[in-house]
Amino acid sequence: MKKVRALCVILGMLASASLFAQGGAESTASTSKSSGPRVIKVTTKFVDNEQTAKSLVKVCEGINKRSGGTLDLQLYTGGTFPIGKDGMELVTSGADVILVDGINFLGDYVPDYNAVTGPFLYTSFDEYLAMTKTDLVKHLNDEALKQGIKVLSLDWVFGFRSMMLNKPVTKPADMKGVKIRVPTSQLYTYTMEAMGASPVAMPYPDTYSAIQQGVIDGVEGSIMTYWGTKQYENVKEFSLTRHLLGVSCICISKACWDSLTDEQRAIIQEEVDKGTQDNLEETEKLESEYAEDLKKVGVHFHEVDSAAFSKAASVVYTKFPKWTPGIYDQIQAELSGIRANLKK
């Protein structure tokens, strides 16, 4: 009898466990169904009235609408969510994050990206946009994927970067001792040093007050940035060095990307591509408009000795031992073909 009672107890416990498991499974399934859309945070340094941020608003709205409520992209502008190195670390760690920031941060993981965006390479947007379609750059995107980074676009241009200061600079000697903000990037640091300046690394959102406090003398950036961040309230001299092309990459965690459905991935890529074109068209249109606006608020534009600056900056291409040997020559060969095609 004792054995029978013991067996009954055991069977009862098993039955209870089975019911508990079924209830747990039903509860989990119910929670899954009511958990709502997948939230992906989109983070960028650009402030709300800069064109890149405006185009990103359209991208997020388009994705959220087309996803039928399965995705919720939330845009954080002006560095209110981690950007730069911190943002890229979130991406590589697998977080549900899309980072919109400088390609130099990709260069921390795939060094040759910095070579492709090095100083004084391009003379037009079209040259750069053609470069991103080459096998050379496609290979870099494949390498980034191995690092956990899915590149959605490299084509979010915001203009050639020049010097915003309280004095004009027309040759490298004029830059001696000038404290210029740079992002946390060896490429930018070496470029500014080669051009004669003293680079100071800091997040861009900190630069407005840093200029007022004398921590830095100015910043380097595009006409779009000059107007959009209101730096004209601090500094009035814009020297057109055009030393680097201002361009952002859009990238997402590979882990996040792989966990999405085929339909969701297609929607995200299509809307990013649409936003890329919107940003390009608006940037091309607004550059000339903002130049006139800047003149109206007292900004003076200065042409520079581009050949002298380019010659001084050529040393930058010797400072990166992690770059693939011969990468600069490969880039120049690609550019020769690109320029020949653009002339046709």
PDB file of all heavy atoms in Angstrom, residues 27-54:
ATOM      1  N   SER A  27       1.518  31.057 -21.340  1.00  0.00           N
ATOM      2  CA  SER A  27       1.806  32.418 -20.874  1.00  0.00           C
ATOM      3  C   SER A  27       2.871  33.080 -21.729  1.00  0.00           C
ATOM      4  O   SER A  27       2.756  34.239 -22.101  1.00  0.00           O
ATOM      5  CB  SER A  27       2.269  32.378 -19.410  1.00  0.00           C
ATOM      6  OG  SER A  27       2.642  33.663 -18.987  1.00  0.00           O
ATOM      7  N   THR A  28       3.927  32.280 -22.076  1.00  0.00           N
ATOM      8  CA  THR A  28       5.004  32.808 -22.914  1.00  0.00           C
ATOM      9  C   THR A  28       4.492  33.173 -24.284  1.00  0.00           C
ATOM     10  O   THR A  28       4.822  34.224 -24.844  1.00  0.00           O
ATOM     11  CB  THR A  28       6.145  31.767 -23.043  1.00  0.00           C
ATOM     12  OG1 THR A  28       6.631  31.490 -21.739  1.00  0.00           O
ATOM     13  CG2 THR A  28       7.261  32.304 -23.919  1.00  0.00           C
ATOM     14  N   ALA A  29       3.664  32.282 -24.845  1.00  0.00           N
ATOM     15  CA  ALA A  29       3.108  32.538 -26.168  1.00  0.00           C
ATOM     16  C   ALA A  29       2.245  33.778 -26.148  1.00  0.00           C
ATOM     17  O   ALA A  29       2.283  34.626 -27.046  1.00  0.00           O
ATOM     18  CB  ALA A  29       2.293  31.334 -26.635  1.00  0.00           C
ATOM     19  N   SER A  30       1.452  33.909 -25.076  1.00  0.00           N
ATOM     20  CA  SER A  30       0.580  35.071 -24.946  1.00  0.00           C
ATOM     21  C   SER A  30       1.388  36.351 -24.836  1.00  0.00           C
ATOM     22  O   SER A  30       1.090  37.356 -25.470  1.00  0.00           O
ATOM     23  CB  SER A  30      -0.313  34.911 -23.696  1.00  0.00           C
ATOM     24  OG  SER A  30      -1.082  36.071 -23.496  1.00  0.00           O
ATOM     25  N   THR A  31       2.489  36.289 -24.044  1.00  0.00           N
ATOM     26  CA  THR A  31       3.357  37.460 -23.882  1.00  0.00           C
ATOM     27  C   THR A  31       3.994  37.847 -25.197  1.00  0.00           C
ATOM     28  O   THR A  31       4.087  39.013 -25.548  1.00  0.00           O
ATOM     29  CB  THR A  31       4.455  37.159 -22.841  1.00  0.00           C
ATOM     30  OG1 THR A  31       3.828  36.844 -21.608  1.00  0.00           O
ATOM     31  CG2 THR A  31       5.372  38.360 -22.663  1.00  0.00           C
ATOM     32  N   SER A  32       4.423  36.805 -25.977  1.00  0.00           N
ATOM     33  CA  SER A  32       5.070  37.058 -27.259  1.00  0.00           C
ATOM     34  C   SER A  32       4.129  37.781 -28.208  1.00  0.00           C
ATOM     35  O   SER A  32       4.508  38.686 -28.929  1.00  0.00           O
ATOM     36  CB  SER A  32       5.546  35.737 -27.876  1.00  0.00           C
ATOM     37  OG  SER A  32       6.128  35.962 -29.132  1.00  0.00           O
ATOM     38  N   LYS A  33       2.831  37.349 -28.177  1.00  0.00           N
ATOM     39  CA  LYS A  33       1.860  37.935 -29.091  1.00  0.00           C
ATOM     40  C   LYS A  33       1.556  39.392 -28.734  1.00  0.00           C
ATOM     41  O   LYS A  33       1.205  40.182 -29.579  1.00  0.00           O
ATOM     42  CB  LYS A  33       0.568  37.108 -29.068  1.00  0.00           C
ATOM     43  CG  LYS A  33       0.710  35.729 -29.721  1.00  0.00           C
ATOM     44  CD  LYS A  33      -0.589  34.944 -29.616  1.00  0.00           C
ATOM     45  CE  LYS A  33      -0.459  33.554 -30.231  1.00  0.00           C
ATOM     46  NZ  LYS A  33      -1.699  32.760 -30.076  1.00  0.00           N
ATOM     47  N   SER A  34       1.672  39.721 -27.460  1.00  0.00           N
ATOM     48  CA  SER A  34       1.291  41.055 -27.020  1.00  0.00           C
ATOM     49  C   SER A  34       2.495  41.939 -26.696  1.00  0.00           C
ATOM     50  O   SER A  34       2.360  42.963 -26.064  1.00  0.00           O
ATOM     51  CB  SER A  34       0.393  40.942 -25.782  1.00  0.00           C
ATOM     52  OG  SER A  34       1.097  40.323 -24.715  1.00  0.00           O
ATOM     53  N   SER A  35       3.676  41.490 -27.103  1.00  0.00           N
ATOM     54  CA  SER A  35       4.893  42.201 -26.727  1.00  0.00           C
ATOM     55  C   SER A  35       5.109  43.479 -27.525  1.00  0.00           C
ATOM     56  O   SER A  35       5.952  44.291 -27.172  1.00  0.00           O
ATOM     57  CB  SER A  35       6.114  41.281 -26.884  1.00  0.00           C
ATOM     58  OG  SER A  35       6.234  40.868 -28.232  1.00  0.00           O
ATOM     59  N   GLY A  36       4.384  43.687 -28.624  1.00  0.00           N
ATOM     60  CA  GLY A  36       4.493  44.909 -29.397  1.00  0.00           C
ATOM     61  C   GLY A  36       5.604  44.882 -30.420  1.00  0.00           C
ATOM     62  O   GLY A  36       6.251  43.853 -30.633  1.00  0.00           O
ATOM     63  N   PRO A  37       5.872  46.022 -31.067  1.00  0.00           N
ATOM     64  CA  PRO A  37       6.864  46.067 -32.143  1.00  0.00           C
ATOM     65  C   PRO A  37       8.293  45.940 -31.636  1.00  0.00           C
ATOM     66  O   PRO A  37       8.578  46.208 -30.468  1.00  0.00           O
ATOM     67  CB  PRO A  37       6.632  47.449 -32.761  1.00  0.00           C
ATOM     68  CG  PRO A  37       6.073  48.268 -31.638  1.00  0.00           C
ATOM     69  CD  PRO A  37       5.225  47.323 -30.845  1.00  0.00           C
ATOM     70  N   ARG A  38       9.177  45.546 -32.526  1.00  0.00           N
ATOM     71  CA  ARG A  38      10.603  45.472 -32.219  1.00  0.00           C
ATOM     72  C   ARG A  38      11.165  46.890 -32.226  1.00  0.00           C
ATOM     73  O   ARG A  38      11.113  47.599 -33.240  1.00  0.00           O
ATOM     74  CB  ARG A  38      11.298  44.608 -33.291  1.00  0.00           C
ATOM     75  CG  ARG A  38      12.819  44.506 -33.183  1.00  0.00           C
ATOM     76  CD  ARG A  38      13.237  43.529 -32.117  1.00  0.00           C
ATOM     77  NE  ARG A  38      14.654  43.247 -32.170  1.00  0.00           N
ATOM     78  CZ  ARG A  38      15.213  42.288 -32.916  1.00  0.00           C
ATOM     79  NH1 ARG A  38      14.449  41.524 -33.701  1.00  0.00           N
ATOM     80  NH2 ARG A  38      16.510  42.074 -32.881  1.00  0.00           N
ATOM     81  N   VAL A  39      11.701  47.319 -31.117  1.00  0.00           N
ATOM     82  CA  VAL A  39      12.253  48.671 -30.999  1.00  0.00           C
ATOM     83  C   VAL A  39      13.731  48.662 -31.412  1.00  0.00           C
ATOM     84  O   VAL A  39      14.525  47.885 -30.884  1.00  0.00           O
ATOM     85  CB  VAL A  39      12.112  49.214 -29.564  1.00  0.00           C
ATOM     86  CG1 VAL A  39      12.823  50.563 -29.433  1.00  0.00           C
ATOM     87  CG2 VAL A  39      10.638  49.343 -29.184  1.00  0.00           C
ATOM     88  N   ILE A  40      14.075  49.520 -32.369  1.00  0.00           N
ATOM     89  CA  ILE A  40      15.461  49.696 -32.792  1.00  0.00           C
ATOM     90  C   ILE A  40      15.785  51.182 -32.668  1.00  0.00           C
ATOM     91  O   ILE A  40      15.107  52.028 -33.254  1.00  0.00           O
ATOM     92  CB  ILE A  40      15.684  49.215 -34.233  1.00  0.00           C
ATOM     93  CG1 ILE A  40      15.337  47.731 -34.368  1.00  0.00           C
ATOM     94  CG2 ILE A  40      17.133  49.468 -34.663  1.00  0.00           C
ATOM     95  CD1 ILE A  40      15.445  47.192 -35.785  1.00  0.00           C
ATOM     96  N   LYS A  41      16.806  51.499 -31.894  1.00  0.00           N
ATOM     97  CA  LYS A  41      17.195  52.893 -31.681  1.00  0.00           C
ATOM     98  C   LYS A  41      18.155  53.330 -32.785  1.00  0.00           C
ATOM     99  O   LYS A  41      19.136  52.657 -33.079  1.00  0.00           O
ATOM    100  CB  LYS A  41      17.840  53.057 -30.303  1.00  0.00           C
ATOM    101  CG  LYS A  41      16.861  52.863 -29.147  1.00  0.00           C
ATOM    102  CD  LYS A  41      17.559  53.015 -27.799  1.00  0.00           C
ATOM    103  CE  LYS A  41      16.554  53.081 -26.654  1.00  0.00           C
ATOM    104  NZ  LYS A  41      15.729  51.873 -26.556  1.00  0.00           N
ATOM    105  N   VAL A  42      17.842  54.467 -33.397  1.00  0.00           N
ATOM    106  CA  VAL A  42      18.678  55.054 -34.444  1.00  0.00           C
ATOM    107  C   VAL A  42      19.371  56.267 -33.827  1.00  0.00           C
ATOM    108  O   VAL A  42      18.711  57.200 -33.378  1.00  0.00           O
ATOM    109  CB  VAL A  42      17.842  55.481 -35.662  1.00  0.00           C
ATOM    110  CG1 VAL A  42      18.744  56.049 -36.759  1.00  0.00           C
ATOM    111  CG2 VAL A  42      17.022  54.302 -36.183  1.00  0.00           C
ATOM    112  N   THR A  43      20.686  56.260 -33.793  1.00  0.00           N
ATOM    113  CA  THR A  43      21.421  57.314 -33.085  1.00  0.00           C
ATOM    114  C   THR A  43      22.382  58.048 -34.017  1.00  0.00           C
ATOM    115  O   THR A  43      23.049  57.435 -34.857  1.00  0.00           O
ATOM    116  CB  THR A  43      22.181  56.729 -31.879  1.00  0.00           C
ATOM    117  OG1 THR A  43      22.917  57.766 -31.230  1.00  0.00           O
ATOM    118  CG2 THR A  43      23.145  55.624 -32.292  1.00  0.00           C
ATOM    119  N   THR A  44      22.430  59.367 -33.871  1.00  0.00           N
ATOM    120  CA  THR A  44      23.297  60.177 -34.724  1.00  0.00           C
ATOM    121  C   THR A  44      23.759  61.438 -33.986  1.00  0.00           C
ATOM    122  O   THR A  44      23.104  61.895 -33.041  1.00  0.00           O
ATOM    123  CB  THR A  44      22.568  60.588 -36.021  1.00  0.00           C
ATOM    124  OG1 THR A  44      23.474  61.263 -36.892  1.00  0.00           O
ATOM    125  CG2 THR A  44      21.385  61.503 -35.737  1.00  0.00           C
ATOM    126  N   LYS A  45      24.864  61.991 -34.446  1.00  0.00           N
ATOM    127  CA  LYS A  45      25.387  63.237 -33.885  1.00  0.00           C
ATOM    128  C   LYS A  45      24.655  64.454 -34.433  1.00  0.00           C
ATOM    129  O   LYS A  45      24.698  65.541 -33.844  1.00  0.00           O
ATOM    130  CB  LYS A  45      26.875  63.368 -34.220  1.00  0.00           C
ATOM    131  CG  LYS A  45      27.152  63.483 -35.719  1.00  0.00           C
ATOM    132  CD  LYS A  45      28.625  63.434 -36.040  1.00  0.00           C
ATOM    133  CE  LYS A  45      28.850  63.443 -37.555  1.00  0.00           C
ATOM    134  NZ  LYS A  45      30.268  63.283 -37.902  1.00  0.00           N
ATOM    135  N   PHE A  46      23.997  64.305 -35.569  1.00  0.00           N
ATOM    136  CA  PHE A  46      23.380  65.440 -36.235  1.00  0.00           C
ATOM    137  C   PHE A  46      22.191  65.973 -35.439  1.00  0.00           C
ATOM    138  O   PHE A  46      21.405  65.202 -34.882  1.00  0.00           O
ATOM    139  CB  PHE A  46      22.940  65.059 -37.655  1.00  0.00           C
ATOM    140  CG  PHE A  46      24.092  64.728 -38.560  1.00  0.00           C
ATOM    141  CD1 PHE A  46      24.482  63.412 -38.758  1.00  0.00           C
ATOM    142  CD2 PHE A  46      24.801  65.734 -39.190  1.00  0.00           C
ATOM    143  CE1 PHE A  46      25.567  63.105 -39.574  1.00  0.00           C
ATOM    144  CE2 PHE A  46      25.886  65.440 -40.007  1.00  0.00           C
ATOM    145  CZ  PHE A  46      26.270  64.121 -40.198  1.00  0.00           C
ATOM    146  N   VAL A  47      22.070  67.300 -35.394  1.00  0.00           N
ATOM    147  CA  VAL A  47      20.967  67.922 -34.663  1.00  0.00           C
ATOM    148  C   VAL A  47      19.743  68.007 -35.572  1.00  0.00           C
ATOM    149  O   VAL A  47      19.830  67.827 -36.781  1.00  0.00           O
ATOM    150  CB  VAL A  47      21.355  69.321 -34.138  1.00  0.00           C
ATOM    151  CG1 VAL A  47      22.516  69.209 -33.153  1.00  0.00           C
ATOM    152  CG2 VAL A  47      21.736  70.265 -35.288  1.00  0.00           C
ATOM    153  N   ASP A  48      18.599  68.315 -34.959  1.00  0.00           N
ATOM    154  CA  ASP A  48      17.322  68.201 -35.657  1.00  0.00           C
ATOM    155  C   ASP A  48      17.214  69.032 -36.927  1.00  0.00           C
ATOM    156  O   ASP A  48      16.545  68.625 -37.877  1.00  0.00           O
ATOM    157  CB  ASP A  48      16.174  68.589 -34.714  1.00  0.00           C
ATOM    158  CG  ASP A  48      15.978  67.563 -33.601  1.00  0.00           C
ATOM    159  OD1 ASP A  48      16.347  66.396 -33.802  1.00  0.00           O
ATOM    160  OD2 ASP A  48      15.465  67.940 -32.526  1.00  0.00           O
ATOM    161  N   ASN A  49      17.849  70.209 -36.960  1.00  0.00           N
ATOM    162  CA  ASN A  49      17.697  71.048 -38.141  1.00  0.00           C
ATOM    163  C   ASN A  49      18.794  70.838 -39.180  1.00  0.00           C
ATOM    164  O   ASN A  49      18.884  71.585 -40.157  1.00  0.00           O
ATOM    165  CB  ASN A  49      17.615  72.531 -37.746  1.00  0.00           C
ATOM    166  CG  ASN A  49      18.866  73.018 -37.043  1.00  0.00           C
ATOM    167  OD1 ASN A  49      19.632  72.225 -36.511  1.00  0.00           O
ATOM    168  ND2 ASN A  49      19.075  74.331 -37.033  1.00  0.00           N
ATOM    169  N   GLU A  50      19.633  69.824 -39.008  1.00  0.00           N
ATOM    170  CA  GLU A  50      20.588  69.452 -40.053  1.00  0.00           C
ATOM    171  C   GLU A  50      19.911  68.483 -41.020  1.00  0.00           C
ATOM    172  O   GLU A  50      19.064  67.681 -40.638  1.00  0.00           O
ATOM    173  CB  GLU A  50      21.836  68.818 -39.443  1.00  0.00           C
ATOM    174  CG  GLU A  50      22.725  69.811 -38.719  1.00  0.00           C
ATOM    175  CD  GLU A  50      24.016  69.192 -38.236  1.00  0.00           C
ATOM    176  OE1 GLU A  50      24.042  68.667 -37.110  1.00  0.00           O
ATOM    177  OE2 GLU A  50      25.000  69.235 -38.987  1.00  0.00           O
ATOM    178  N   GLN A  51      20.320  68.552 -42.287  1.00  0.00           N
ATOM    179  CA  GLN A  51      19.625  67.786 -43.312  1.00  0.00           C
ATOM    180  C   GLN A  51      19.677  66.278 -43.076  1.00  0.00           C
ATOM    181  O   GLN A  51      18.695  65.569 -43.313  1.00  0.00           O
ATOM    182  CB  GLN A  51      20.201  68.100 -44.704  1.00  0.00           C
ATOM    183  CG  GLN A  51      19.454  67.405 -45.835  1.00  0.00           C
ATOM    184  CD  GLN A  51      17.964  67.659 -45.799  1.00  0.00           C
ATOM    185  OE1 GLN A  51      17.532  68.806 -45.683  1.00  0.00           O
ATOM    186  NE2 GLN A  51      17.164  66.607 -45.896  1.00  0.00           N
ATOM    187  N   THR A  52      20.820  65.774 -42.611  1.00  0.00           N
ATOM    188  CA  THR A  52      20.908  64.332 -42.353  1.00  0.00           C
ATOM    189  C   THR A  52      19.838  63.895 -41.361  1.00  0.00           C
ATOM    190  O   THR A  52      19.175  62.872 -41.553  1.00  0.00           O
ATOM    191  CB  THR A  52      22.301  63.954 -41.829  1.00  0.00           C
ATOM    192  OG1 THR A  52      23.280  64.218 -42.852  1.00  0.00           O
ATOM    193  CG2 THR A  52      22.371  62.470 -41.474  1.00  0.00           C
ATOM    194  N   ALA A  53      19.644  64.670 -40.302  1.00  0.00           N
ATOM    195  CA  ALA A  53      18.615  64.332 -39.311  1.00  0.00           C
ATOM    196  C   ALA A  53      17.224  64.401 -39.929  1.00  0.00           C
ATOM    197  O   ALA A  53      16.363  63.545 -39.656  1.00  0.00           O
ATOM    198  CB  ALA A  53      18.710  65.261 -38.106  1.00  0.00           C
ATOM    199  N   LYS A  54      16.979  65.401 -40.755  1.00  0.00           N
ATOM    200  CA  LYS A  54      15.677  65.531 -41.409  1.00  0.00           C
ATOM    201  C   LYS A  54      15.384  64.332 -42.314  1.00  0.00           C
ATOM    202  O   LYS A  54      14.259  63.812 -42.339  1.00  0.00           O
ATOM    203  CB  LYS A  54      15.623  66.823 -42.216  1.00  0.00           C
ATOM    204  CG  LYS A  54      15.647  68.094 -41.378  1.00  0.00           C
ATOM    205  CD  LYS A  54      15.646  69.328 -42.250  1.00  0.00           C
ATOM    206  CE  LYS A  54      15.697  70.610 -41.428  1.00  0.00           C
ATOM    207  NZ  LYS A  54      15.725  71.818 -42.291  1.00  0.00           N
TER     208      LYS A  54
END
